[in-house]
Amino acid sequence: MTGELVAAVRRRTGELVAALGTLDEDGLRAPSALPGWSRLTIACHLRYGAEAFGRMTAAALEDRPVSYYPGGRAATRPATLEPGPGEEPADVVESLAEHSAALDAAWRRLSDERWEAVVREPDDQPDLGPLPLARMPLLRLTEVEVHGSDLELGLGDWSEVFVRAALPFRLDWLNRRRTNHREVDASVTGSWLLTAPDGPTWRVAVEGGGVASVPVAAGATADAVVEAPARDLLALLLGRPLRTAPRYGGDTELGRAFARAFP
């Protein structure tokens, strides 16, 4: 599966770099689908992500602690979202291509055994938590798939391999990572059955301040049911537009509140 994910990252990255490469400066500075972000902001973010994943890969292979944002997210992240001093927008796209190619080359060299290395963060900079290196391609694929759509440059929709791998991973990750640095509405409690006709069924519950997210058989019980294609359940988890409106069952008000409990 890891090789398939690495290939998917390479394919999607090639598509978005090619699309960005057709734009002039005005096109790069035009707004994206993300509020407050231009296409150039996304290019800068993806460029930094390629460099960071390459650095984290090297550190994991040497069993050294490493952070996605050295010095802390709040202090480091703002500068990663804009060109460097004297850097032109087109330079960012070229640099994104170069860092992405270097990351792809590093990953393609790894044996199955090397993928078992663990990415460990410094004790004073927890963010992702310890993860096997083999998880990194899926995290990078999430960046390029989702932000590729955010660019609004006519790229294809999310790939089947991305949806198939990312949906159960994100559902399981709710047990450890309820929010991505966003405020959670703690008043929303209960249980949801998230089910996809073309994918898995999971029961997600918020009770007593804790979260329990587990795969279950279709037809299991919960306070609310949210049914949608696998691609749209993933979009719900990632805070992106759904192509198909979900079908709600049970407590429909609670069903519609899922995004407030898991922003």
Side-chain angles (χ1 to χ4, degrees), residues 53 63 68 70 87 92 94 96 108 133 176 206 211 217-218 250:
F53 278 121
D63 196 27
Y68 189 89
E87 191 176 34
V92 173
E94 182 178 352
L96 165 61
R108 293 172 77 176
L133 183 57
R176 300 175 298 282
V206 177
V211 176

Side-chain angles (χ1 to χ4, degrees), residues 12 23 114 134 149 155 158 188 190 230-231 245:
R12 183 67 163 186
L23 302 177
R114 299 288 270 170
S149 298
L155 299 186
W158 301 344
V188 181
R231 184 266 182 213

Side-chain angles (χ1 to χ4, degrees), residues 3 31 34 139 159 192 253:
L34 284 179
L139 297 181
S159 65
W192 297 262
E253 182 178 352

Side-chain angles (χ1 to χ4, degrees), residues 193 195 201 216-222:
L193 196 69
T195 182
T201 297
V216 295
T221 60

